[in-house]
Amino acid sequence: MNQQDNLKGNFSLKGFTSIQIGIYILIAAYAIKSILDGFLDKHFSDFSVKENSVILITALVSLAFLFSSSALFYNGKRTAKKQQVQLWNEASKSNLYKYTSSFLILFLTLYFLSKQGHTAYLTPIFLVIYATILFLFKQKEGRELLIMSGVCILFAIICFLIPSYWYSSLFILGVAHITYGVVVK
């Protein structure tokens, strides 16, 4: 493997990073489900409770994204140090630009859908865009990421057909990340 291949591999979903991201997805999905279950049980028509729930869910999603991004960054930093290469080289800067712009598109799309009242489509659209992101960032040896992308597309289709399947889809995505992290080191 030459040095250019090493530079591209600074930021990857292998090992503990994928496990961390899976755990963050599981925690966020469970917390969102708990918030929504509590909201539906107590105050369906109270606007302030609804508004607070939306703010809390947005904060949870933002924290999951922030923690996942931090896991990728610190893993990349460790990898670069271990390989004795610069962390911020042309390949990693390009990946950062693609990563930032793809997640910005994801969040803007989800924001637009929620403002239009299409909350049933939030999870399927998230899964489709996330599958695209996984596909775009796959490494040469990352056939397993293609499988995870396919699983995301499959669950997106299921969520389009059965909107109440959103929690199970996110739960399985979190477990898939954990499994990927254990299998691919």
Side-chain angles (χ1 to χ4, degrees):
M1 183 182 328
N2 63 24
Q3 189 166 352
Q4 186 64 22
D5 289 336
N6 285 340
L7 295 176
K8 290 181 182 178
N10 282 350
F11 299 103
S12 67
L13 284 176
K14 296 178 181 176
F16 191 62
T17 304
S18 184
I19 293 170
Q20 284 179 295
I21 292 172
I23 290 169
Y24 299 145
I25 290 171
L26 289 174
I27 291 170
Y30 179 76
I32 291 169
K33 182 173 176 21
S34 297
I35 291 168
L36 291 176
D37 287 347
F39 169 73
L40 293 175
D41 290 343
K42 293 180 184 175
H43 310 282
F44 186 77
S45 62
D46 190 2
F47 182 74
S48 64
V49 172
K50 181 180 177 183
E51 188 174 288
N52 289 338
S53 296
V54 170
I55 291 170
L56 192 55
I57 290 170
T58 303
L60 284 168
V61 170
S62 299
L63 283 173
F65 170 74
L66 180 67
F67 288 155
S68 297
S69 298
S70 297
L72 280 170
F73 173 75
Y74 287 115
N75 179 51
K77 191 174 177 181
R78 278 191 307 269
T79 302
K81 186 176 181 181
K82 187 168 72 172
Q83 295 175 351
Q84 297 178 350
V85 296
Q86 280 187 327
L87 175 64
W88 297 113
N89 52 58
E90 287 189 35
S92 61
K93 287 178 184 176
S94 172
N95 283 340
L96 177 66
Y97 174 73
K98 287 191 285 187
Y99 179 80
T100 305
S101 56
S102 61
F103 275 97
L104 183 64
I105 289 168
L106 172 68
F107 282 121
L108 289 175
T109 303
L110 295 179
Y111 176 78
F112 176 75
L113 284 172
S114 66
K115 286 299 180 186
Q116 296 298 319
H118 302 295
T119 56
Y121 299 120
L122 291 177
T123 301
I125 296 299
F126 165 77
L127 290 168
V128 167
I129 295 173
Y130 191 69
T132 306
I133 292 169
L134 288 176
F135 178 76
L136 291 176
F137 286 101
K138 70 178 175 41
Q139 302 283 325
K140 289 180 186 175
E141 63 278 351
R143 291 187 326 214
E144 294 86 3
L145 280 180
L146 289 176
I147 293 170
M148 200 171 347
S149 291
V151 168
C152 286
I153 295 294
L154 175 67
F155 285 130
I157 292 168
I158 291 171
C159 285
F160 274 123
L161 299 173
I162 309 167
S164 63
Y165 199 69
W166 71 269
Y167 175 68
S168 299
S169 296
L170 292 179
F171 184 83
I172 294 169
L173 177 62
V175 170
H177 263 286
I178 292 170
T179 305
Y180 178 77
V182 169
V183 172
V184 180
K185 293 182 182 189

